[in-house]
Amino acid sequence: MTPERLQRILEGALMAAQRPLSVEELERLFEGDASRPERASIREALREIAESCQERGYHLKEVGSGYRFQVDEELAPWVSRLWEEKPPRYSRALLETLALIAYRQPITRAEIEEVRGVAVSSHIIRTLTEREWIRVVGHKELPGRPALFGTTRGFLDYFNLKSLDELPTLAELRDLDQPAGE
């Protein structure tokens, strides 16, 4: 199979998919083919596709669960007009809870409440779970065996992250709070 043909097949699969595709899933496209490409060839083809998209309105992005095409961020003001619905607005409490889970995982509900100083609403946990941003990753060895929460690949995908290492550091977040020029 020629590199050009491989790129076209991968592009088609990524365009048709409604979610990111992992390299393993892309490999399965070729099961039973006599000219099945090697994993290294698939990775090289993905690199070349990403390179060819640099000057386009979309990019090939690697996120937590695989690769996907996405619109260039600077085009968002125009492209977002295609959808009439407003994006969901999340409360400060929900975002604080999610941030604590992301930065301190695995973490219990009681530990979240201790940091925030207020009770964590069941609605917040349910919303984060339904959005598939968090999940129970285990139970702490304490009376009652409280659930330990952690983030999911869905969290990484939604926030455009390949891994948790790409989260801003706490120092970077503090810098955002400082007015310019300080």
Side-chain angles (χ1 to χ4, degrees):
M1 175 176 307
T2 67
E4 294 79 19
R5 177 105 172 121
L6 175 59
Q7 286 179 33
R8 289 186 64 215
I9 292 168
L10 296 177
E11 285 176 356
L14 290 164
M15 290 293 282
Q18 296 292 315
R19 59 183 176 75
L21 297 176
S22 68
V23 172
E24 293 77 20
E25 290 173 303
L26 293 169
E27 280 182 308
R28 284 197 291 272
L29 296 174
F30 304 98
E31 284 181 356
D33 287 8
S35 60
R36 183 178 181 163
E38 306 246 341
R39 183 174 287 198
S41 299
I42 291 174
R43 288 193 185 280
E44 177 61 20
L46 290 168
R47 189 192 61 71
E48 290 178 14
I49 292 168
E51 217 173 83
S52 71
C53 293
Q54 290 303 312
E55 299 302 316
R56 295 194 175 149
Y58 61 92
H59 300 290
L60 180 63
K61 174 79 176 169
E62 185 178 6
V63 292
S65 58
Y67 291 84
R68 69 177 176 203
F69 284 118
Q70 66 184 43
V71 174
D72 188 314
E73 288 179 23
E74 70 181 46
L75 304 178
W78 296 278
V79 176
S80 64
R81 293 179 188 150
L82 290 171
W83 294 274
E84 289 184 27
E85 67 185 55
K86 297 285 182 204
R89 297 199 48 105
Y90 298 109
S91 69
R92 181 181 180 118
L94 183 138
L95 294 174
E96 286 175 355
T97 301
L98 181 59
L100 283 166
I101 293 170
Y103 280 97
R104 294 195 176 179
Q105 62 187 304
I107 188 171
T108 66
R109 185 180 193 143
E111 291 166 335
I112 295 168
E113 291 172 347
E114 185 179 321
V115 172
R116 290 195 61 237
V118 294
V120 175
S121 154
S122 295
H123 175 72
I124 288 174
I125 298 297
R126 185 173 43 254
T127 299
L128 293 172
T129 303
E130 287 173 356
R131 294 215 39 105
E132 297 180 357
W133 289 351
I134 67 166
R135 66 184 178 92
V136 174
V137 295
H139 295 275
K140 197 158 191 170
E141 293 297 327
L142 292 174
R145 300 202 16 96
L148 288 165
F149 295 103
T151 56
T152 65
R153 289 198 183 278
F155 166 82
L156 296 174
D157 293 349
Y158 186 85
F159 290 99
N160 216 11
L161 303 168
K162 186 176 172 182
S163 73
L164 291 172
D165 295 335
E166 292 183 357
L167 284 172
T169 65
L170 295 178
E172 290 171 326
L173 293 176
R174 280 190 200 99
D175 289 346
L176 291 176
D177 287 340
Q178 300 298 319
E182 280 191 20

